[in-house]
Amino acid sequence: MAAKKITPKRPSGSGTKRTERDTATLGKIEKLARGALAQATRGDNPGVDIRTRTLANVSFNQKRKIIELGDRTQTREFFNVAMARKFMQTMLVASGCKTLIGEGKTVSIRQMFYMTKHTLPGSSENTFEDQSESDPIIEDLEVGIDALREELHLFANRRGLVVGKLVVNDAGDEIDLSRMGRGGWGIPSICEPDALSFVKNSAEFILLVEKQAVWHRLNEDRFWEKHNCILLTSEGQAARGARRLLQRMATELKLPIYALVDNDPWGLYIYSVLKQGSINLAYESMRMAVPQVRFLGMSAFDYKKFSMPKAAEIKLTKEDVTRAEQMKAYPWFKDAKWQREIQATIDNGFKMEVDALLTKRISFITEEYIPKKLRDRDYLQ
Amino acid sequence: MPKSKKETPPPAAEDSAPEGAPPKRRATAESMASRQREISVSEFFTKNRHLLGFDNPAKALLTTIKEAVDNSLDACEEAGILPDILVEIHETTAPARTATKPAKPLEGAAPAAPAGASRFRVVVEDNGPGIVKAQIPKIFAKLLYGSKFHRLKQSRGQQGIGISAAGLYGQLTTGKPVVITSKTAKGRPAFRIHLRIDTKRNQPDVFSEETIDWAKDHGTRVEIELVAAYRGGRTGVREYLEQTVVANPHMSLAYVSPKGERLEFPRVTSELPREAQEIKPHPHGVELGMLHTMLSDAAGESVKDVLVASFSRVSPAVAAEICKVAHVSAKTPADRIQGEDLERLHKALGEVKVMAPPATAVVPIGEALLIEGLKRRFSRAEFYASTTRPPSVYRGNPFVVEVGLAFGGDLPVDEPADIMRFANRVPLQYQPKACAISESVYQTNWRGYDLQQPKGGLPVAPLAVAVHLASVWVPFTSEAKEAVAHYDELLREMKLAVQECGRKLAAHIRARAHLQREEKRRSLFERYIPEVASAISAILDVPKDKIEKPFFAALPNFVRFADEPAAPPDGGGAPPAVASPSPSDAPRRSPPPPVKGKGKGRATPRGEQLELL
């Protein structure tokens, strides 16, 4: 896989050079620590204010068409049985990030888990039992001190592939995305301008597919060459890298973006997150949401339009229906066209995977489905 | 005791006479009369010893000791002496029958020792007032002789049958006389008397008497040899003594078991129980026959005067009211009240409102001393509580119920609670199922006090409960004095007392659970503080201890009553976990401790809490 992430624009992690951003982040971390210490010294309960990342505290900004985090905060107090452990973990991660910034190094969130994991003296309790405990703490810290993940010198495992008519510069290396062979270019977890820039673009649109297998199908068929586009897969729910890259392409390259996901509530939610952000990362929506992404498919109505065979159907489960009903209630799906789309899936009583297009022909998707949808401007937005 | 002419002819046997023929007469009134004679109480006992608690060898040993100890305690208390009691049990190898002068051939003598039984010599010695020499034979060798039967006064013994029955039992099983040693004062001689009971005449038979030197100033020593069995467990002698020690904190006891072990229980208070007042019967409890006797014994007096004179709480006005309700003239000579008049008068006695009998007749152990008593036996429990109810009345008899309990510590966790029943400070060890006291414990919903309790069973918890019924007349279910009868009034008071005590326990259990939670919280924070401190220290470049210090200093602000302001255990400012009885003379349940201004510090010194856990 390509491009192992190296400290941006720096030949090696010597750590002596500190950017302004680093200094600012360090200031935020120190403020957090000093605040807690001051509270303890006063005999108060040391706490960290964290904006709550729950459905109740996000709102849909109708004007900007993105999900925004509300102002409701929860104070994570140390002297509170339910929160003490998380408070301790937050401080550990903060301290770990300070070390990273100080040494000018960047680690994955999994590596941060190991950096901060140890056994508490005199017990069998670990500071973190597994990564599922430390990941949310990192997100908490981001919200708590208002710092971005990359500012904390952390990155997630990269996920997502891209090929197409675009040349980028990543950490000093120029990469022609039209010469990536079968594997494609792995999207780095951090796609900020200081590390990644667009050198030359000749694409006319961007096509994002949910599944790697579908991306592979299209790549093998050289879809992007024929249609002069950039072909991207998020490999499931889009990671921050893919979302940030998509947003930058949308704004900097000013290209239309089409998304192709499975025709089920989960596929639709992947689209939804790309478009207006997620509840959990609502504080990042500004940098990541791409409201102009178009929903190309698969639509519940494609079944008839393309005369899909019965074999393409998968019965909806109870869970699917429940999830679909939830989605119908989201403010950003209140539009009649979305209500119609979701209701149609429920009424159909079945879901369809993009892969199901292969019931027709191996390259039906490349040769007929996508071109027809694009031609007919058969998408939702 | 007139034995009924019960030699009724047996039902005609089928083959004895042809059908229809009158049955043949077998005995005449005269021939029957020749067989009718008085039965001595001793003879009656010989045949019915189970009635008095001598049904088997193990029980016989217990009953013997119990009767002797009860008498000693009663005597000491009546004389105002703090009792020092010694109990010894020696196993004696059954001597060859010829060793002692064989007593007269014994009728009804026990068959050779039953399996498991052997011979014991029981010694019970006290420092009581001693007994006048002339009375010794009657007290110890005449059944139904005593000072306690004819009065209404709270005491352990009631009928004057026990100790002489024990002596008789010994005599019947071993042929050995009872040996009594007694001395009434310093400088007076001590007598040692060997006694037998003439079972036919219910008369003592002094076998030998001598004057001896006895180091004691005063006291009585009873020695009885009997065929018996020594058992442990709930019905054993040791259990009896340990329970007695609980109910009699003022008693000092030394016990030498048949194996030669010596147990000592020094007294824990030198406060003698208040002397119980003797009272007259209360009109609400009197029976028709007794009323009749009272009236006929008072020839020449008016009904009204007799009522005022014989009953407790009957003033002339009340007596007049009774007569009015009974439609009997107050001036009627007492011995003329008979028949329907008598019945109406009896009914009126029960109906007219009369003040409750004086509570001074009943002497409870008291809340504080009951706890001291419990500590003698359960010295390592974690919590003690007690409740003494205000005096109440059943059938005209005043009574007081009190309950004490010991909880936790080294008491067994997985066993049903240990129930100790006391009537006038005497432990009841047999027939728990038939006893109103057990009933009151079973009927209490202990789950409400955060204990486990199988349906219809005893709570399963490290718990010992002592229930004491003090009354001038304890209604036993039988003469063996094994179980208290189920009178509604008694049962209700017992349940109230158990519940009241249970609530105190519940408050403790909840406070303890709260403390445990607090302790858990504390240790959680203590575990995390060093982590937080080293993180902050790394961030701020400040030495770790400079950060730990303020965190540890802030800790006490949050560990104590952060969750809920749990009410302190009943009894207020008492030191934690120690019993918190309300003052022993408190008339009612102790009022809830003042909550206001209870600056129960958030920052309680650490050691104080850890002490409990």
Side-chain angles (χ1 to χ4, degrees):
Chain A
M1 221 117 319
K4 187 180 173 240
K5 182 79 174 96
I6 299 169
T7 314
K9 284 196 171 162
R10 230 170 273 144
S12 75
S14 67
T16 42
K17 259 187 271 172
R18 190 175 290 171
T19 65
E20 262 174 56
R21 246 173 126 185
D22 285 344
T23 312
T25 311
L26 276 182
K28 289 173 180 176
I29 293 176
E30 280 164 17
K31 193 177 151 210
L32 172 84
R34 210 172 289 120
L37 178 59
Q39 280 166 317
T41 309
R42 281 198 304 272
D44 290 345
N45 203 341
V48 183
D49 289 338
I50 296 168
R51 282 198 284 167
T52 46
R53 291 171 292 128
T54 58
L55 181 59
N57 193 36
V58 298
S59 58
F60 182 56
N61 186 322
Q62 292 289 353
K63 220 169 111 200
R64 297 157 85 175
K65 302 282 181 206
I66 59 172
I67 297 172
E68 290 180 332
L69 194 59
D71 291 333
R72 201 179 309 170
T73 63
Q74 195 199 7
T75 305
R76 174 164 297 164
E77 292 172 329
F78 177 61
F79 289 119
N80 178 319
V81 173
M83 303 188 218
R85 182 172 164 86
K86 285 187 172 174
F87 180 94
M88 167 199 72
Q89 291 171 333
T90 310
M91 288 298 165
L92 286 175
V93 170
S95 158
C97 291
K98 175 197 160 157
T99 309
L100 288 177
I101 297 170
E103 296 183 9
K105 290 175 183 165
T106 307
V107 299
S108 75
I109 52 176
R110 179 151 191 83
Q111 287 166 337
M112 174 53 80
F113 161 62
Y114 281 116
M115 266 178 70
T116 47
K117 178 186 176 182
H118 58 261
T119 306
L120 294 173
S123 80
S124 56
E125 187 183 351
N126 290 319
T127 50
F128 292 94
E129 295 302 338
D130 55 49
Q131 199 190 335
S132 67
E133 241 191 319
S134 69
D135 287 358
I137 295 291
I138 291 168
E139 283 165 8
D140 289 344
L141 186 65
E142 292 171 40
V143 189
I145 65 172
D146 194 23
L148 302 173
R149 180 168 291 185
E150 60 271 14
E151 289 172 345
L152 296 172
H153 286 219
L154 292 172
F155 60 89
N157 283 339
R158 57 138 295 279
R159 197 164 72 219
L161 299 169
V162 63
V163 286
K165 300 279 199 167
L166 179 66
V167 179
V168 298
N169 183 311
D170 181 26
D173 296 336
E174 221 166 78
I175 300 163
D176 184 349
L177 298 183
S178 64
R179 303 168 67 86
M180 299 309 298
R182 287 169 302 161
W185 183 58
I187 303 170
S189 128
I190 294 174
C191 294
E192 293 308 309
D194 52 357
L196 181 75
S197 55
F198 304 123
V199 177
K200 183 167 168 272
N201 170 47
S202 49
E204 284 161 23
F205 68 94
I206 299 163
L207 176 64
L208 178 139
V209 296
E210 171 190 347
K211 287 179 164 168
Q212 205 209 60
V214 175
W215 179 88
H216 182 262
R217 173 85 264 107
L218 294 168
N219 188 27
E220 197 173 85
D221 290 344
R222 305 295 275 185
F223 178 88
W224 51 271
E225 206 167 50
K226 238 170 275 172
H227 293 271
N228 213 19
C229 71
I230 297 167
L231 178 63
L232 198 142
T233 175
S234 58
E235 298 183 81
Q237 186 61 269
R240 291 189 201 206
R243 289 177 59 196
R244 180 68 177 140
L245 177 65
L246 203 64
Q247 200 216 33
R248 284 190 59 207
M249 289 197 288
T251 50
E252 293 173 33
L253 307 178
K254 300 196 170 42
L255 293 179
I257 302 171
Y258 300 92
L260 179 59
V261 296
D262 286 347
N263 168 224
D264 62 24
W266 319 98
L268 191 59
Y269 192 68
I270 288 173
Y271 165 74
S272 165
V273 168
L274 287 174
K275 190 179 177 187
Q276 49 254 322
S278 68
I279 296 164
N280 200 34
L281 294 184
Y283 58 98
E284 290 272 49
S285 293
M286 281 289 291
R287 300 194 311 133
M288 299 199 175
V290 193
Q292 58 269 50
V293 182
R294 292 160 175 174
F295 174 77
L296 188 67
M298 289 182 65
S299 159
F301 299 101
D302 289 346
Y303 182 74
K304 272 197 184 132
K305 269 182 212 161
F306 293 89
S307 330
M308 296 295 291
K310 191 107 176 106
E313 300 173 13
I314 300 176
K315 213 171 167 302
L316 278 186
T317 63
K318 223 186 238 168
E319 227 188 338
D320 292 331
V321 176
T322 313
R323 185 77 185 111
E325 295 289 356
Q326 277 173 3
M327 308 255 300
K328 270 178 77 184
Y330 287 153
W332 47 95
F333 282 129
K334 276 296 175 206
D335 246 35
K337 58 188 184 213
W338 285 114
Q339 294 285 317
R340 223 179 107 237
E341 173 66 35
I342 300 169
Q343 191 57 46
T345 304
I346 297 174
D347 294 345
N348 278 350
F350 60 79
K351 50 190 176 184
M352 274 185 303
E353 292 183 286
V354 178
D355 308 83
L357 292 166
L358 269 78
T359 51
K360 300 283 246 185
R361 231 170 44 239
I362 292 177
S363 290
F364 179 76
I365 181 172
T366 327
E367 292 161 7
E368 235 178 293
Y369 178 79
I370 299 175
K372 179 171 165 53
K373 294 277 285 187
L374 287 171
R375 213 165 41 240
D376 295 353
R377 305 183 70 79
D378 181 14
Y379 57 80
L380 291 175
Q381 194 176 353
Chain B
M1 214 182 278
K3 174 137 186 199
S4 64
K5 298 131 250 167
K6 222 182 172 179
E7 307 282 271
T8 42
E14 282 168 43
D15 57 349
S16 65
E19 214 178 310
K24 197 177 98 191
R25 261 187 94 158
R26 297 174 199 170
T28 61
E30 289 72 24
S31 71
M32 281 159 77
S34 71
R35 276 181 271 137
Q36 289 159 356
R37 60 185 168 88
E38 193 183 356
I39 302 154
S40 82
V41 184
S42 321
E43 281 178 305
F44 178 78
F45 167 72
T46 310
K47 284 193 172 164
N48 297 291
R49 46 190 174 178
H50 58 278
L51 293 181
L52 295 172
F54 294 88
D55 5 5
N56 62 58
K59 204 163 164 186
L61 183 65
L62 174 69
T63 305
T64 301
I65 288 171
K66 194 169 164 171
E67 295 295 348
V69 170
D70 288 354
N71 284 350
S72 289
L73 287 171
D74 274 348
C76 285
E77 279 165 30
E78 204 167 337
I81 297 165
L82 283 166
D84 281 328
I85 293 178
L86 167 74
V87 175
E88 293 176 13
I89 306 176
H90 303 285
E91 188 157 6
T92 55
T93 39
R97 278 247 154 199
T98 48
T100 29
K101 241 201 269 177
K104 315 166 205 171
L106 290 165
E107 37 158 343
S118 48
R119 272 185 180 216
F120 293 94
R121 194 164 58 89
V122 168
V123 178
V124 175
E125 185 179 314
D126 65 42
N127 62 338
I131 303 164
V132 173
K133 187 184 161 202
Q135 289 295 333
I136 292 175
K138 288 181 193 156
I139 288 173
F140 291 96
K142 185 174 169 69
L143 273 72
L144 293 176
Y145 187 92
S147 56
K148 300 167 193 169
F149 187 73
H150 295 99
R151 62 182 189 188
L152 270 178
K153 180 177 174 180
Q154 179 187 337
S155 63
R156 294 174 178 79
Q158 285 182 339
Q159 286 102 327
I161 200 166
I163 191 63
S164 38
L168 180 56
Y169 176 84
Q171 176 181 323
L172 289 171
T173 53
T174 66
K176 290 286 185 81
V178 177
V179 182
I180 308 297
T181 311
S182 191
K183 182 174 169 183
T184 52
K186 197 172 178 179
R188 298 261 179 84
F191 299 101
R192 176 176 292 158
I193 300 179
H194 292 238
L195 284 171
R196 279 218 177 83
I197 299 177
D198 179 338
T199 52
K200 288 238 173 62
R201 295 181 301 127
N202 186 21
Q203 287 300 326
D205 183 0
V206 176
F207 188 72
S208 77
E209 62 176 70
E210 56 193 313
T211 309
I212 59 153
D213 281 335
W214 207 18
K216 258 193 159 78
D217 286 351
H218 48 80
T220 303
R221 178 183 170 97
V222 180
E223 291 166 73
I224 298 175
E225 191 158 338
L226 71 164
V227 167
Y230 184 81
R231 298 266 160 79
R234 295 209 52 84
T235 55
V237 169
R238 182 160 169 175
E239 175 77 19
Y240 161 74
L241 291 173
E242 288 189 0
Q243 288 196 19
T244 303
V245 150
V246 169
N248 298 277
H250 61 293
M251 167 178 93
S252 173
L253 172 77
Y255 168 54
V256 179
S257 80
K259 289 178 189 123
E261 307 150 303
R262 190 179 169 92
L263 279 179
E264 303 242 11
F265 293 95
R267 69 175 52 86
V268 290
T269 175
S270 33
E271 186 187 327
L272 265 174
R274 173 167 58 77
E275 193 181 357
Q277 243 179 38
E278 191 172 338
I279 55 165
K280 289 180 273 187
H282 191 271
H284 284 177
V286 72
E287 273 163 6
L288 190 68
M290 189 175 163
L291 177 64
H292 180 61
T293 314
M294 281 176 179
L295 293 169
S296 19
D297 284 358
E301 290 176 56
S302 74
V303 198
K304 188 178 158 190
D305 290 346
V306 172
L307 290 180
V308 173
S310 325
F311 286 105
S312 153
R313 299 299 202 201
V314 175
S315 62
V318 172
E321 167 79 8
I322 293 168
C323 292
K324 201 176 134 206
V325 170
H327 301 294
V328 171
S329 161
K331 288 182 192 130
T332 318
D335 53 344
R336 289 241 216 102
I337 303 283
Q338 277 168 350
E340 285 183 16
D341 284 348
L342 181 66
E343 277 178 39
R344 279 202 311 279
L345 188 66
H346 180 247
K347 197 159 164 261
L349 277 170
E351 282 169 1
V352 170
K353 217 174 159 197
V354 186
M355 261 174 85
T360 47
V362 185
V363 186
I365 300 168
E367 291 185 342
L369 284 180
L370 184 50
I371 284 176
E372 290 311 308
L374 281 166
K375 283 183 182 167
R376 296 175 91 179
R377 186 167 189 209
F378 307 100
S379 56
R380 301 178 66 184
E382 157 195 315
F383 173 77
Y384 306 86
S386 60
T387 290
T388 298
R389 293 280 305 162
S392 185
V393 178
Y394 82 95
R395 290 186 57 211
N397 295 308
F399 70 95
V400 167
V401 174
E402 47 194 344
V403 172
L405 55 81
F407 176 81
D410 58 357
L411 286 158
V413 175
D414 295 328
E415 285 170 30
D418 183 5
I419 307 300
M420 289 171 283
R421 300 174 284 139
F422 297 98
N424 288 344
R425 298 179 187 241
V426 178
L428 309 179
Q429 288 167 273
Y430 281 92
Q431 298 212 31
K433 290 277 156 63
C435 184
I437 290 179
S438 319
E439 190 70 21
S440 68
V441 178
Y442 278 93
Q443 283 186 12
T444 298
N445 178 15
W446 292 89
R447 278 174 235 173
Y449 311 134
D450 290 6
L451 296 184
Q452 289 181 355
Q453 184 182 24
K455 209 166 187 161
L458 287 171
V460 176
L463 176 66
V465 182
V467 182
H468 177 219
L469 169 66
S471 178
V472 293
W473 185 260
V474 177
F476 288 111
T477 55
S478 79
E479 284 314 312
K481 300 199 278 186
E482 290 169 342
V484 174
H486 287 64
Y487 280 98
D488 287 348
E489 298 92 329
L490 288 178
L491 193 57
R492 193 177 54 234
E493 273 297 314
M494 286 171 187
K495 277 161 74 175
L496 286 173
V498 171
Q499 287 162 6
E500 206 174 308
C501 219
R503 283 193 294 273
K504 292 179 186 176
L505 174 62
H508 167 74
I509 289 176
R510 280 165 204 151
R512 184 180 71 159
H514 179 73
L515 271 181
Q516 280 169 348
R517 276 200 304 279
E518 284 298 302
E519 190 51 36
K520 236 175 127 183
R521 287 161 46 95
R522 176 193 287 277
S523 76
L524 177 97
F525 298 136
E526 283 172 350
R527 226 170 32 245
Y528 293 161
I529 286 177
E531 292 299 327
V532 170
S534 49
I536 294 180
S537 127
I539 294 171
L540 298 180
D541 273 330
V542 175
K544 188 179 163 188
D545 60 313
K546 283 244 167 78
I547 293 158
E548 261 184 16
K549 218 179 268 170
F551 271 81
F552 274 116
L555 176 62
N557 297 354
F558 301 97
V559 267
R560 256 242 125 154
F561 295 117
D563 273 355
E564 46 187 338
D570 208 4
V578 178
S580 48
S582 35
S584 97
D585 290 329
R588 270 269 151 197
R589 66 188 62 159
S590 54
V595 177
K596 190 183 57 157
K598 186 126 218 134
K600 198 81 178 183
R602 305 160 107 190
T604 307
R606 177 134 195 246
E608 193 180 322
Q609 286 182 39
L610 294 182
E611 211 171 73
L612 330 170
L613 302 167

